[in-house]
Amino acid sequence: MPKILIVGGGYAGFYTAWKLEKWLRKGEAEVTMVDPLPYMTYQPFLPEVAAGSIEARHAVVAHRRHLSKTNVVTAKVTHIDHASKTATITPPVGEPYEFAYDIVVVTAGAVSRTFPIPGVADQALGLKTIEEAVAIRDTVLTNFDKASLLPAGPERDRLLTFVVIGGGFAGIEVFAELRSFATSLLKSYPQIGFDDIQFHLIEAMGRIMPEVSVPTSLWVIDNLDKRGAKIHLNTQLTSAVDGVVELSTGEKFETDLIVWTAGVMANPGIVRHTDLPIEERGRLQVRPDLRVGTADEIIEGAWGAGDITAIPDLSGGGVGGFCVPNAQHAVRQGKLMAQNIVAVLRGEGPKDYIHKNMGAVAGLGVGQGVFQSGKLAIKGPLAWIAHRGYHGLAMPSWERKLRVVWGWVNNFFLGRDIVSLAAVESPRAVFVEFASRPKPAAGAAAPAKAASAAVTPPAPVTVPAAAAAAPAAKVTAPRAPRKAPVKAPAAARATTATDAPTEAATPVK
């Protein structure tokens, strides 16, 4: 059977494997999917995970649960040599090994793209993984706990100041969701007032959310401003060393949480370690039919989709002529790629990918949202319902859909869970603090004491003969009638209090 290797288990990779299981006949091909994580993350839900509106585990899809016919390998692909049709797989334990394939599908996604701004690498969190979203949520809750115990002052202000870098969809959504989350916490923290919390979004361009119209983006800015969240347009972050945020406008303030959402780049772990063609922006070069190559050349046996690729947007709506890196494209590309791979295996021709953007929808916190489709714009609660309805249905598998929707229903009646699990980062801390440890062996303790005495001998002490003999008498002699303790001379008593060994200070009976 031909061996199909899928590199990456995100949207495009997961949907490719999922649909191949459905459309391949028994014995037609063997499918292996390699990803360092055992699950696919539904990234549009990350802002709601960060704001406590969705349970973290409900925003991911387990590979092994839903890919029953695919060989799932939880490891990294560290090199693709398509000339020899081999890939190097590096597992978390054990040695790397070579995997021979007939067809490779590259869907390794993207990572956060940063700039060499002082302090960003040390202080900021991205918003590409479920772990980052959970860390953001726990940081907000932990900071509220700490700030509620402090008087007004710089340290309290630092804990209650939250910064987001980047005014695209991801940045605006997490910014607005965190503002909604912080407001909902005030009833549980009477020591903290609404005006004590500061939210800042930094955007280098002159507008936010380029996917929507200018009037709609201005409405979002006005809505967030009324909710106490400030957006800095035409402003760049110049430094974030030790949490001290410095802006190109000269403003300066301290924060304990910086969320970076200012762009993504193709996964460098793949595009820098392959002989497949890479275009000038560092993405895998892919044709409209999702085969790797150019209009004039096809790389046989190589396919690509998702954020790691540069795929021409035949609808004419793409940025620079290519499909933008979002879930809407990745999911559809994964489905079509599975269909095209099956078609080629059966001697049929592949279809070109073409998808006209249906619009853009964003959640801005509980009860607030925005939807834009062409000239139609919906704002407020109706757009929020549309946002949840669309993404609830787009979540893969009915099992995941039900978990997410059931969580929303619970929150509606019970409110958001406000328990911080930041201690999970050091789960052994309490156990280690109170764990009993074996005492040093007696033979090992004696030489250590002797060595210590050899280095710093104690000052000479004058002790009565009876006192020196007392310890041995206590061990071997029969119990004697009680007698008044014998007092040592004054000089001896003074010496014993400061320099004498413990045995010499024992009263004689």
Side-chain angles (χ1 to χ4, degrees), residues 32-66:
T32 299
M33 188 179 75
V34 182
D35 192 279
L37 297 173
Y39 51 78
M40 183 211 89
T41 302
Y42 190 72
Q43 292 183 4
F45 280 156
L46 293 183
E48 290 199 59
V49 171
S53 293
I54 294 178
E55 166 60 35
R57 285 184 175 86
H58 297 171
V60 299
V61 181
H63 290 153
R64 297 179 188 275
R65 176 163 186 168
H66 296 283

PDB file of all heavy atoms in Angstrom, residues 32-66:
ATOM      1  N   THR A  32      -0.271   7.817   8.206  1.00  0.00           N
ATOM      2  CA  THR A  32       0.421   8.114   9.472  1.00  0.00           C
ATOM      3  C   THR A  32       0.416   9.620   9.673  1.00  0.00           C
ATOM      4  O   THR A  32       0.761  10.370   8.755  1.00  0.00           O
ATOM      5  CB  THR A  32       1.866   7.597   9.446  1.00  0.00           C
ATOM      6  OG1 THR A  32       1.864   6.179   9.279  1.00  0.00           O
ATOM      7  CG2 THR A  32       2.594   7.950  10.738  1.00  0.00           C
ATOM      8  N   MET A  33       0.022  10.063  10.855  1.00  0.00           N
ATOM      9  CA  MET A  33       0.041  11.491  11.183  1.00  0.00           C
ATOM     10  C   MET A  33       1.002  11.724  12.345  1.00  0.00           C
ATOM     11  O   MET A  33       0.911  11.045  13.374  1.00  0.00           O
ATOM     12  CB  MET A  33      -1.360  11.991  11.566  1.00  0.00           C
ATOM     13  CG  MET A  33      -1.425  13.510  11.731  1.00  0.00           C
ATOM     14  SD  MET A  33      -3.084  14.086  12.144  1.00  0.00           S
ATOM     15  CE  MET A  33      -3.166  13.590  13.866  1.00  0.00           C
ATOM     16  N   VAL A  34       1.912  12.677  12.177  1.00  0.00           N
ATOM     17  CA  VAL A  34       2.915  12.974  13.200  1.00  0.00           C
ATOM     18  C   VAL A  34       2.719  14.400  13.697  1.00  0.00           C
ATOM     19  O   VAL A  34       2.683  15.350  12.904  1.00  0.00           O
ATOM     20  CB  VAL A  34       4.344  12.800  12.635  1.00  0.00           C
ATOM     21  CG1 VAL A  34       5.377  13.056  13.733  1.00  0.00           C
ATOM     22  CG2 VAL A  34       4.529  11.416  12.053  1.00  0.00           C
ATOM     23  N   ASP A  35       2.597  14.542  15.008  1.00  0.00           N
ATOM     24  CA  ASP A  35       2.475  15.860  15.632  1.00  0.00           C
ATOM     25  C   ASP A  35       3.015  15.758  17.053  1.00  0.00           C
ATOM     26  O   ASP A  35       2.782  14.749  17.732  1.00  0.00           O
ATOM     27  CB  ASP A  35       1.011  16.311  15.663  1.00  0.00           C
ATOM     28  CG  ASP A  35       0.865  17.785  16.042  1.00  0.00           C
ATOM     29  OD1 ASP A  35       0.920  18.103  17.248  1.00  0.00           O
ATOM     30  OD2 ASP A  35       0.712  18.614  15.129  1.00  0.00           O
ATOM     31  N   PRO A  36       3.734  16.778  17.535  1.00  0.00           N
ATOM     32  CA  PRO A  36       4.274  16.702  18.905  1.00  0.00           C
ATOM     33  C   PRO A  36       3.202  16.734  19.985  1.00  0.00           C
ATOM     34  O   PRO A  36       3.468  16.367  21.134  1.00  0.00           O
ATOM     35  CB  PRO A  36       5.192  17.922  18.996  1.00  0.00           C
ATOM     36  CG  PRO A  36       4.732  18.839  17.914  1.00  0.00           C
ATOM     37  CD  PRO A  36       4.194  17.974  16.827  1.00  0.00           C
ATOM     38  N   LEU A  37       1.979  17.181  19.645  1.00  0.00           N
ATOM     39  CA  LEU A  37       0.881  17.209  20.606  1.00  0.00           C
ATOM     40  C   LEU A  37      -0.128  16.126  20.270  1.00  0.00           C
ATOM     41  O   LEU A  37      -0.356  15.824  19.100  1.00  0.00           O
ATOM     42  CB  LEU A  37       0.192  18.578  20.596  1.00  0.00           C
ATOM     43  CG  LEU A  37       1.036  19.773  21.022  1.00  0.00           C
ATOM     44  CD1 LEU A  37       0.275  21.077  20.807  1.00  0.00           C
ATOM     45  CD2 LEU A  37       1.461  19.645  22.481  1.00  0.00           C
ATOM     46  N   PRO A  38      -0.792  15.548  21.277  1.00  0.00           N
ATOM     47  CA  PRO A  38      -1.767  14.481  21.011  1.00  0.00           C
ATOM     48  C   PRO A  38      -3.160  15.008  20.703  1.00  0.00           C
ATOM     49  O   PRO A  38      -4.127  14.258  20.760  1.00  0.00           O
ATOM     50  CB  PRO A  38      -1.761  13.684  22.327  1.00  0.00           C
ATOM     51  CG  PRO A  38      -1.477  14.701  23.375  1.00  0.00           C
ATOM     52  CD  PRO A  38      -0.544  15.715  22.735  1.00  0.00           C
ATOM     53  N   TYR A  39      -3.279  16.274  20.373  1.00  0.00           N
ATOM     54  CA  TYR A  39      -4.596  16.850  20.130  1.00  0.00           C
ATOM     55  C   TYR A  39      -4.508  18.012  19.144  1.00  0.00           C
ATOM     56  O   TYR A  39      -3.443  18.573  18.913  1.00  0.00           O
ATOM     57  CB  TYR A  39      -5.220  17.358  21.438  1.00  0.00           C
ATOM     58  CG  TYR A  39      -4.325  18.257  22.250  1.00  0.00           C
ATOM     59  CD1 TYR A  39      -4.128  19.588  21.920  1.00  0.00           C
ATOM     60  CD2 TYR A  39      -3.635  17.747  23.361  1.00  0.00           C
ATOM     61  CE1 TYR A  39      -3.292  20.398  22.658  1.00  0.00           C
ATOM     62  CE2 TYR A  39      -2.794  18.550  24.102  1.00  0.00           C
ATOM     63  CZ  TYR A  39      -2.629  19.874  23.748  1.00  0.00           C
ATOM     64  OH  TYR A  39      -1.784  20.678  24.484  1.00  0.00           O
ATOM     65  N   MET A  40      -5.651  18.319  18.540  1.00  0.00           N
ATOM     66  CA  MET A  40      -5.801  19.500  17.700  1.00  0.00           C
ATOM     67  C   MET A  40      -6.439  20.606  18.530  1.00  0.00           C
ATOM     68  O   MET A  40      -7.414  20.349  19.242  1.00  0.00           O
ATOM     69  CB  MET A  40      -6.710  19.182  16.514  1.00  0.00           C
ATOM     70  CG  MET A  40      -6.878  20.342  15.541  1.00  0.00           C
ATOM     71  SD  MET A  40      -8.492  20.353  14.723  1.00  0.00           S
ATOM     72  CE  MET A  40      -9.450  21.312  15.891  1.00  0.00           C
ATOM     73  N   THR A  41      -5.913  21.817  18.447  1.00  0.00           N
ATOM     74  CA  THR A  41      -6.458  22.956  19.187  1.00  0.00           C
ATOM     75  C   THR A  41      -7.370  23.774  18.282  1.00  0.00           C
ATOM     76  O   THR A  41      -6.952  24.181  17.191  1.00  0.00           O
ATOM     77  CB  THR A  41      -5.329  23.850  19.715  1.00  0.00           C
ATOM     78  OG1 THR A  41      -4.472  23.075  20.555  1.00  0.00           O
ATOM     79  CG2 THR A  41      -5.898  25.021  20.523  1.00  0.00           C
ATOM     80  N   TYR A  42      -8.594  24.018  18.727  1.00  0.00           N
ATOM     81  CA  TYR A  42      -9.497  24.878  17.966  1.00  0.00           C
ATOM     82  C   TYR A  42      -9.207  26.316  18.380  1.00  0.00           C
ATOM     83  O   TYR A  42      -9.740  26.832  19.365  1.00  0.00           O
ATOM     84  CB  TYR A  42     -10.955  24.511  18.234  1.00  0.00           C
ATOM     85  CG  TYR A  42     -11.921  25.200  17.290  1.00  0.00           C
ATOM     86  CD1 TYR A  42     -11.995  24.822  15.955  1.00  0.00           C
ATOM     87  CD2 TYR A  42     -12.727  26.241  17.716  1.00  0.00           C
ATOM     88  CE1 TYR A  42     -12.855  25.460  15.075  1.00  0.00           C
ATOM     89  CE2 TYR A  42     -13.595  26.888  16.847  1.00  0.00           C
ATOM     90  CZ  TYR A  42     -13.652  26.487  15.518  1.00  0.00           C
ATOM     91  OH  TYR A  42     -14.498  27.130  14.653  1.00  0.00           O
ATOM     92  N   GLN A  43      -8.323  26.974  17.636  1.00  0.00           N
ATOM     93  CA  GLN A  43      -7.775  28.258  18.049  1.00  0.00           C
ATOM     94  C   GLN A  43      -8.793  29.399  18.172  1.00  0.00           C
ATOM     95  O   GLN A  43      -8.590  30.298  18.995  1.00  0.00           O
ATOM     96  CB  GLN A  43      -6.635  28.652  17.117  1.00  0.00           C
ATOM     97  CG  GLN A  43      -5.428  27.743  17.255  1.00  0.00           C
ATOM     98  CD  GLN A  43      -4.272  28.157  16.386  1.00  0.00           C
ATOM     99  OE1 GLN A  43      -4.301  29.173  15.717  1.00  0.00           O
ATOM    100  NE2 GLN A  43      -3.233  27.338  16.371  1.00  0.00           N
ATOM    101  N   PRO A  44      -9.894  29.427  17.399  1.00  0.00           N
ATOM    102  CA  PRO A  44     -10.859  30.509  17.616  1.00  0.00           C
ATOM    103  C   PRO A  44     -11.445  30.540  19.028  1.00  0.00           C
ATOM    104  O   PRO A  44     -11.986  31.571  19.438  1.00  0.00           O
ATOM    105  CB  PRO A  44     -11.954  30.209  16.578  1.00  0.00           C
ATOM    106  CG  PRO A  44     -11.227  29.514  15.481  1.00  0.00           C
ATOM    107  CD  PRO A  44     -10.194  28.669  16.174  1.00  0.00           C
ATOM    108  N   PHE A  45     -11.328  29.442  19.765  1.00  0.00           N
ATOM    109  CA  PHE A  45     -11.846  29.414  21.131  1.00  0.00           C
ATOM    110  C   PHE A  45     -10.817  29.846  22.176  1.00  0.00           C
ATOM    111  O   PHE A  45     -11.147  29.938  23.364  1.00  0.00           O
ATOM    112  CB  PHE A  45     -12.355  28.016  21.481  1.00  0.00           C
ATOM    113  CG  PHE A  45     -13.725  27.709  20.955  1.00  0.00           C
ATOM    114  CD1 PHE A  45     -14.122  26.390  20.739  1.00  0.00           C
ATOM    115  CD2 PHE A  45     -14.636  28.713  20.680  1.00  0.00           C
ATOM    116  CE1 PHE A  45     -15.390  26.103  20.256  1.00  0.00           C
ATOM    117  CE2 PHE A  45     -15.906  28.431  20.203  1.00  0.00           C
ATOM    118  CZ  PHE A  45     -16.283  27.116  19.984  1.00  0.00           C
ATOM    119  N   LEU A  46      -9.586  30.113  21.778  1.00  0.00           N
ATOM    120  CA  LEU A  46      -8.561  30.464  22.760  1.00  0.00           C
ATOM    121  C   LEU A  46      -8.895  31.725  23.561  1.00  0.00           C
ATOM    122  O   LEU A  46      -8.659  31.760  24.779  1.00  0.00           O
ATOM    123  CB  LEU A  46      -7.195  30.602  22.081  1.00  0.00           C
ATOM    124  CG  LEU A  46      -6.597  29.298  21.523  1.00  0.00           C
ATOM    125  CD1 LEU A  46      -5.216  29.566  20.934  1.00  0.00           C
ATOM    126  CD2 LEU A  46      -6.517  28.224  22.601  1.00  0.00           C
ATOM    127  N   PRO A  47      -9.442  32.794  22.937  1.00  0.00           N
ATOM    128  CA  PRO A  47      -9.819  33.952  23.751  1.00  0.00           C
ATOM    129  C   PRO A  47     -10.854  33.618  24.832  1.00  0.00           C
ATOM    130  O   PRO A  47     -10.775  34.136  25.944  1.00  0.00           O
ATOM    131  CB  PRO A  47     -10.379  34.941  22.718  1.00  0.00           C
ATOM    132  CG  PRO A  47      -9.681  34.594  21.449  1.00  0.00           C
ATOM    133  CD  PRO A  47      -9.562  33.104  21.487  1.00  0.00           C
ATOM    134  N   GLU A  48     -11.806  32.747  24.508  1.00  0.00           N
ATOM    135  CA  GLU A  48     -12.813  32.377  25.507  1.00  0.00           C
ATOM    136  C   GLU A  48     -12.236  31.455  26.575  1.00  0.00           C
ATOM    137  O   GLU A  48     -12.684  31.468  27.717  1.00  0.00           O
ATOM    138  CB  GLU A  48     -14.020  31.727  24.825  1.00  0.00           C
ATOM    139  CG  GLU A  48     -14.848  32.704  23.998  1.00  0.00           C
ATOM    140  CD  GLU A  48     -16.242  32.186  23.720  1.00  0.00           C
ATOM    141  OE1 GLU A  48     -16.991  31.915  24.682  1.00  0.00           O
ATOM    142  OE2 GLU A  48     -16.584  32.048  22.534  1.00  0.00           O
ATOM    143  N   VAL A  49     -11.249  30.644  26.217  1.00  0.00           N
ATOM    144  CA  VAL A  49     -10.556  29.838  27.226  1.00  0.00           C
ATOM    145  C   VAL A  49      -9.798  30.766  28.178  1.00  0.00           C
ATOM    146  O   VAL A  49      -9.835  30.592  29.399  1.00  0.00           O
ATOM    147  CB  VAL A  49      -9.588  28.841  26.562  1.00  0.00           C
ATOM    148  CG1 VAL A  49      -8.709  28.159  27.614  1.00  0.00           C
ATOM    149  CG2 VAL A  49     -10.366  27.802  25.770  1.00  0.00           C
ATOM    150  N   ALA A  50      -9.125  31.776  27.620  1.00  0.00           N
ATOM    151  CA  ALA A  50      -8.379  32.730  28.449  1.00  0.00           C
ATOM    152  C   ALA A  50      -9.302  33.500  29.383  1.00  0.00           C
ATOM    153  O   ALA A  50      -8.883  33.922  30.466  1.00  0.00           O
ATOM    154  CB  ALA A  50      -7.606  33.702  27.563  1.00  0.00           C
ATOM    155  N   ALA A  51     -10.567  33.682  28.980  1.00  0.00           N
ATOM    156  CA  ALA A  51     -11.527  34.433  29.798  1.00  0.00           C
ATOM    157  C   ALA A  51     -12.413  33.529  30.640  1.00  0.00           C
ATOM    158  O   ALA A  51     -13.357  34.011  31.272  1.00  0.00           O
ATOM    159  CB  ALA A  51     -12.401  35.302  28.891  1.00  0.00           C
ATOM    160  N   GLY A  52     -12.129  32.234  30.668  1.00  0.00           N
ATOM    161  CA  GLY A  52     -12.886  31.331  31.519  1.00  0.00           C
ATOM    162  C   GLY A  52     -14.270  30.982  31.011  1.00  0.00           C
ATOM    163  O   GLY A  52     -15.067  30.419  31.756  1.00  0.00           O
ATOM    164  N   SER A  53     -14.585  31.287  29.742  1.00  0.00           N
ATOM    165  CA  SER A  53     -15.904  30.971  29.207  1.00  0.00           C
ATOM    166  C   SER A  53     -15.988  29.562  28.641  1.00  0.00           C
ATOM    167  O   SER A  53     -17.083  29.035  28.448  1.00  0.00           O
ATOM    168  CB  SER A  53     -16.275  31.972  28.100  1.00  0.00           C
ATOM    169  OG  SER A  53     -16.454  33.263  28.643  1.00  0.00           O
ATOM    170  N   ILE A  54     -14.830  28.960  28.351  1.00  0.00           N
ATOM    171  CA  ILE A  54     -14.784  27.589  27.838  1.00  0.00           C
ATOM    172  C   ILE A  54     -13.724  26.820  28.616  1.00  0.00           C
ATOM    173  O   ILE A  54     -12.611  27.325  28.821  1.00  0.00           O
ATOM    174  CB  ILE A  54     -14.468  27.571  26.327  1.00  0.00           C
ATOM    175  CG1 ILE A  54     -15.612  28.195  25.532  1.00  0.00           C
ATOM    176  CG2 ILE A  54     -14.213  26.150  25.838  1.00  0.00           C
ATOM    177  CD1 ILE A  54     -15.357  28.247  24.033  1.00  0.00           C
ATOM    178  N   GLU A  55     -14.057  25.617  29.052  1.00  0.00           N
ATOM    179  CA  GLU A  55     -13.100  24.748  29.708  1.00  0.00           C
ATOM    180  C   GLU A  55     -11.993  24.388  28.719  1.00  0.00           C
ATOM    181  O   GLU A  55     -12.251  24.051  27.556  1.00  0.00           O
ATOM    182  CB  GLU A  55     -13.798  23.485  30.195  1.00  0.00           C
ATOM    183  CG  GLU A  55     -12.893  22.339  30.592  1.00  0.00           C
ATOM    184  CD  GLU A  55     -11.938  22.689  31.726  1.00  0.00           C
ATOM    185  OE1 GLU A  55     -12.340  23.470  32.612  1.00  0.00           O
ATOM    186  OE2 GLU A  55     -10.796  22.199  31.710  1.00  0.00           O
ATOM    187  N   ALA A  56     -10.747  24.446  29.153  1.00  0.00           N
ATOM    188  CA  ALA A  56      -9.610  24.275  28.245  1.00  0.00           C
ATOM    189  C   ALA A  56      -9.658  22.956  27.483  1.00  0.00           C
ATOM    190  O   ALA A  56      -9.425  22.914  26.272  1.00  0.00           O
ATOM    191  CB  ALA A  56      -8.308  24.385  29.029  1.00  0.00           C
ATOM    192  N   ARG A  57      -9.967  21.866  28.150  1.00  0.00           N
ATOM    193  CA  ARG A  57      -9.964  20.562  27.478  1.00  0.00           C
ATOM    194  C   ARG A  57     -11.069  20.448  26.434  1.00  0.00           C
ATOM    195  O   ARG A  57     -10.995  19.608  25.547  1.00  0.00           O
ATOM    196  CB  ARG A  57     -10.109  19.439  28.502  1.00  0.00           C
ATOM    197  CG  ARG A  57      -8.841  19.181  29.305  1.00  0.00           C
ATOM    198  CD  ARG A  57      -8.996  17.993  30.238  1.00  0.00           C
ATOM    199  NE  ARG A  57      -7.757  17.690  30.918  1.00  0.00           N
ATOM    200  CZ  ARG A  57      -7.347  18.256  32.038  1.00  0.00           C
ATOM    201  NH1 ARG A  57      -8.099  19.196  32.592  1.00  0.00           N
ATOM    202  NH2 ARG A  57      -6.214  17.920  32.606  1.00  0.00           N
ATOM    203  N   HIS A  58     -12.106  21.274  26.536  1.00  0.00           N
ATOM    204  CA  HIS A  58     -13.191  21.220  25.553  1.00  0.00           C
ATOM    205  C   HIS A  58     -12.822  21.923  24.249  1.00  0.00           C
ATOM    206  O   HIS A  58     -13.513  21.749  23.244  1.00  0.00           O
ATOM    207  CB  HIS A  58     -14.458  21.855  26.140  1.00  0.00           C
ATOM    208  CG  HIS A  58     -14.977  21.124  27.331  1.00  0.00           C
ATOM    209  ND1 HIS A  58     -15.993  21.617  28.124  1.00  0.00           N
ATOM    210  CD2 HIS A  58     -14.619  19.929  27.883  1.00  0.00           C
ATOM    211  CE1 HIS A  58     -16.238  20.769  29.117  1.00  0.00           C
ATOM    212  NE2 HIS A  58     -15.412  19.737  28.979  1.00  0.00           N
ATOM    213  N   ALA A  59     -11.751  22.712  24.250  1.00  0.00           N
ATOM    214  CA  ALA A  59     -11.333  23.439  23.053  1.00  0.00           C
ATOM    215  C   ALA A  59     -10.290  22.678  22.251  1.00  0.00           C
ATOM    216  O   ALA A  59      -9.746  23.215  21.286  1.00  0.00           O
ATOM    217  CB  ALA A  59     -10.786  24.812  23.436  1.00  0.00           C
ATOM    218  N   VAL A  60      -9.999  21.439  22.647  1.00  0.00           N
ATOM    219  CA  VAL A  60      -9.063  20.608  21.902  1.00  0.00           C
ATOM    220  C   VAL A  60      -9.752  19.307  21.517  1.00  0.00           C
ATOM    221  O   VAL A  60     -10.740  18.900  22.134  1.00  0.00           O
ATOM    222  CB  VAL A  60      -7.775  20.314  22.720  1.00  0.00           C
ATOM    223  CG1 VAL A  60      -7.053  21.611  23.055  1.00  0.00           C
ATOM    224  CG2 VAL A  60      -8.091  19.543  23.994  1.00  0.00           C
ATOM    225  N   VAL A  61      -9.219  18.666  20.485  1.00  0.00           N
ATOM    226  CA  VAL A  61      -9.794  17.414  19.973  1.00  0.00           C
ATOM    227  C   VAL A  61      -8.706  16.347  20.004  1.00  0.00           C
ATOM    228  O   VAL A  61      -7.661  16.491  19.354  1.00  0.00           O
ATOM    229  CB  VAL A  61     -10.309  17.595  18.529  1.00  0.00           C
ATOM    230  CG1 VAL A  61     -10.934  16.303  18.022  1.00  0.00           C
ATOM    231  CG2 VAL A  61     -11.310  18.740  18.458  1.00  0.00           C
ATOM    232  N   ALA A  62      -8.928  15.285  20.760  1.00  0.00           N
ATOM    233  CA  ALA A  62      -7.935  14.222  20.893  1.00  0.00           C
ATOM    234  C   ALA A  62      -7.759  13.477  19.576  1.00  0.00           C
ATOM    235  O   ALA A  62      -8.731  13.001  18.988  1.00  0.00           O
ATOM    236  CB  ALA A  62      -8.355  13.257  21.996  1.00  0.00           C
ATOM    237  N   HIS A  63      -6.523  13.369  19.104  1.00  0.00           N
ATOM    238  CA  HIS A  63      -6.258  12.668  17.849  1.00  0.00           C
ATOM    239  C   HIS A  63      -6.690  11.210  17.915  1.00  0.00           C
ATOM    240  O   HIS A  63      -7.382  10.709  17.026  1.00  0.00           O
ATOM    241  CB  HIS A  63      -4.762  12.728  17.520  1.00  0.00           C
ATOM    242  CG  HIS A  63      -4.291  14.091  17.137  1.00  0.00           C
ATOM    243  ND1 HIS A  63      -2.995  14.520  17.330  1.00  0.00           N
ATOM    244  CD2 HIS A  63      -4.932  15.145  16.567  1.00  0.00           C
ATOM    245  CE1 HIS A  63      -2.852  15.749  16.884  1.00  0.00           C
ATOM    246  NE2 HIS A  63      -4.015  16.165  16.429  1.00  0.00           N
ATOM    247  N   ARG A  64      -6.270  10.515  18.957  1.00  0.00           N
ATOM    248  CA  ARG A  64      -6.491   9.069  19.020  1.00  0.00           C
ATOM    249  C   ARG A  64      -7.967   8.711  19.202  1.00  0.00           C
ATOM    250  O   ARG A  64      -8.378   7.623  18.807  1.00  0.00           O
ATOM    251  CB  ARG A  64      -5.650   8.465  20.148  1.00  0.00           C
ATOM    252  CG  ARG A  64      -4.155   8.628  19.927  1.00  0.00           C
ATOM    253  CD  ARG A  64      -3.332   8.055  21.063  1.00  0.00           C
ATOM    254  NE  ARG A  64      -1.918   8.385  20.911  1.00  0.00           N
ATOM    255  CZ  ARG A  64      -1.061   7.683  20.177  1.00  0.00           C
ATOM    256  NH1 ARG A  64      -1.480   6.605  19.539  1.00  0.00           N
ATOM    257  NH2 ARG A  64       0.204   8.053  20.078  1.00  0.00           N
ATOM    258  N   ARG A  65      -8.737   9.624  19.768  1.00  0.00           N
ATOM    259  CA  ARG A  65     -10.162   9.322  19.961  1.00  0.00           C
ATOM    260  C   ARG A  65     -10.922   9.381  18.644  1.00  0.00           C
ATOM    261  O   ARG A  65     -11.857   8.607  18.433  1.00  0.00           O
ATOM    262  CB  ARG A  65     -10.769  10.297  20.971  1.00  0.00           C
ATOM    263  CG  ARG A  65     -12.260  10.098  21.149  1.00  0.00           C
ATOM    264  CD  ARG A  65     -12.786  10.750  22.386  1.00  0.00           C
ATOM    265  NE  ARG A  65     -14.189  10.430  22.594  1.00  0.00           N
ATOM    266  CZ  ARG A  65     -14.865  10.670  23.704  1.00  0.00           C
ATOM    267  NH1 ARG A  65     -14.255  11.221  24.737  1.00  0.00           N
ATOM    268  NH2 ARG A  65     -16.130  10.357  23.819  1.00  0.00           N
ATOM    269  N   HIS A  66     -10.539  10.296  17.770  1.00  0.00           N
ATOM    270  CA  HIS A  66     -11.325  10.529  16.560  1.00  0.00           C
ATOM    271  C   HIS A  66     -10.650  10.037  15.279  1.00  0.00           C
ATOM    272  O   HIS A  66     -11.255  10.107  14.208  1.00  0.00           O
ATOM    273  CB  HIS A  66     -11.644  12.019  16.438  1.00  0.00           C
ATOM    274  CG  HIS A  66     -12.518  12.517  17.553  1.00  0.00           C
ATOM    275  ND1 HIS A  66     -13.866  12.285  17.610  1.00  0.00           N
ATOM    276  CD2 HIS A  66     -12.219  13.208  18.686  1.00  0.00           C
ATOM    277  CE1 HIS A  66     -14.374  12.817  18.703  1.00  0.00           C
ATOM    278  NE2 HIS A  66     -13.394  13.388  19.377  1.00  0.00           N
TER     279      HIS A  66
END
